[in-house]
Amino acid sequence: DDHIPSLGYAWTHTGFLDAFDAKAVRRGYQVYKEVCATCHSLEKIHFRELEGKTHSKEELIAMAAEIDVVDGPNDEGEMFERPGKLSDPLPKPYANEEAGRAANGGALPPDLSLMAKARHGGVDYIFALLTGYCDAPAGKVMLPGLYYNPYFAGGAIAMPPPLQDGQVEYADGTPATMSQMSRDVSVFLNWAAEPEHDERKLQGFKYLTVLGLTLAVTGYYKRFRWSTLK
Ligand code: HEM
């Protein structure tokens, strides 16, 4: 895995007390939904988990209701379609692996739920990959259907460059440059891989605070109790 440098991008959520940038998570969901979801699933995330993160509950109920979900079997033993609800996972682009490969020249777009954890470099890798497409160096032969990207192992990836300037329109007015969308979707995918991230840091902070206070009180008490023996 030595093809991924330690990039050290200036994320706002990686410090030990930093939470995710909520607006970036919301914009990143939009990029995922409008661009990446054409090819990639995010099967570990259910609509309800987005509540208070990217959208309000009412928005999510409406978003879920727009998709058709196959459910069943019912009392007659038949499968049926119903509108999506909050407990459903985000919709997958392909019915199965064969369909996914058939649509992508044999390569399978992986599920992105844990991608920010799965690859060496984590969220830095995702950002580097999305922004890293360039011309292949002279002499490198590229097979048809593969694109040069120095951050991908081997340098030849079956994913066409997914983001171009202005591809989405952000409701908050943020200019949708290629790098801005790459940053936002990277933050969103990092959130998806660690939905407990903010709560974990908050609880860790509380734990350390209480531990520190307890230590101080215990230390003071010990000095006081032992003072007659010294
Ligand atoms: C692979 C992210 C859009 C098709 C990947 C990988 C990531 C990724 C992280 C894994 C690379 C690795 O294995 O290390 C994204 C993001 C997208 C996006 C964040 C949206 C901004 C798309 C779209 C398509 C696509 C629109 C289809 C047109 C693929 C394919 C692979 C892949 C086929 C497998 C590549 C290979 O194994 O050579 N993508 N992707 N992706 N993606 Fe995407």
Side-chain angles (χ1 to χ4, degrees):
D1 268 343
D2 58 357
H3 58 284
I4 303 132
S6 177
L7 297 157
Y9 293 128
W11 302 107
T12 57
H13 67 265
T14 46
F16 91 113
L17 285 180
D18 294 331
F20 284 117
D21 172 349
K23 288 183 175 158
V25 175
R26 184 181 166 109
R27 289 192 303 267
Y29 169 80
Q30 185 183 347
V31 175
Y32 166 73
K33 164 110 197 281
E34 292 180 15
V35 184
C36 326
T38 325
C39 303
H40 291 276
S41 57
L42 196 64
E43 62 183 21
K44 299 248 181 321
I45 299 297
H46 303 74
F47 284 100
R48 67 177 141 70
E49 279 146 355
L50 298 171
E51 185 182 338
K53 299 291 170 189
T54 61
H55 294 80
S56 67
K57 189 170 185 176
E58 291 66 39
E59 288 174 308
L60 289 164
I61 290 174
M63 284 155 58
E66 279 173 23
I67 61 167
D68 297 323
V69 177
V70 179
D71 205 342
N74 61 14
D75 292 345
E76 282 81 51
E78 290 154 357
M79 304 301 281
F80 59 94
E81 276 199 354
R82 58 158 176 81
K85 42 190 186 189
L86 287 179
S87 54
D88 286 317
L90 300 188
K92 308 185 281 186
Y94 309 113
N96 52 45
E97 180 173 340
E98 289 70 46
R101 287 192 188 279
N104 290 281
L108 183 68
D111 183 76
L112 294 181
S113 306
L114 296 173
M115 194 50 81
K117 294 276 200 186
R119 295 286 183 271
H120 182 68
V123 63
D124 281 10
Y125 170 65
I126 298 177
F127 180 80
L129 185 76
L130 294 174
T131 53
Y133 287 91
C134 57
D135 291 337
K140 182 158 172 94
V141 179
M142 297 297 295
L143 294 171
L146 293 182
Y147 304 83
Y148 183 67
N149 190 314
Y151 296 102
F152 186 68
I157 187 167
M159 169 167 73
L163 295 169
Q164 278 95 43
D165 286 345
Q167 198 158 348
V168 307
E169 197 175 322
Y170 285 138
D172 66 6
T174 304
T177 58
M178 193 269 270
S179 57
Q180 179 71 48
M181 290 181 288
S182 301
R183 176 186 181 276
D184 292 340
V185 79
S186 300
V187 174
F188 172 69
L189 291 175
N190 198 159
W191 170 80
E194 294 181 84
E196 80 301 341
H197 167 280
D198 291 357
E199 183 65 13
R200 169 167 56 76
K201 283 184 179 170
L202 180 65
Q203 294 303 331
F205 177 70
K206 287 185 183 168
Y207 172 79
L208 287 176
T209 306
V210 172
L211 187 69
L213 289 173
T214 309
L215 272 176
V217 170
T218 313
Y220 178 76
Y221 179 72
K222 183 243 161 204
R223 281 191 137 202
F224 173 75
R225 292 293 286 191
W226 285 69
S227 61
T228 52
L229 299 174
K230 280 198 179 157

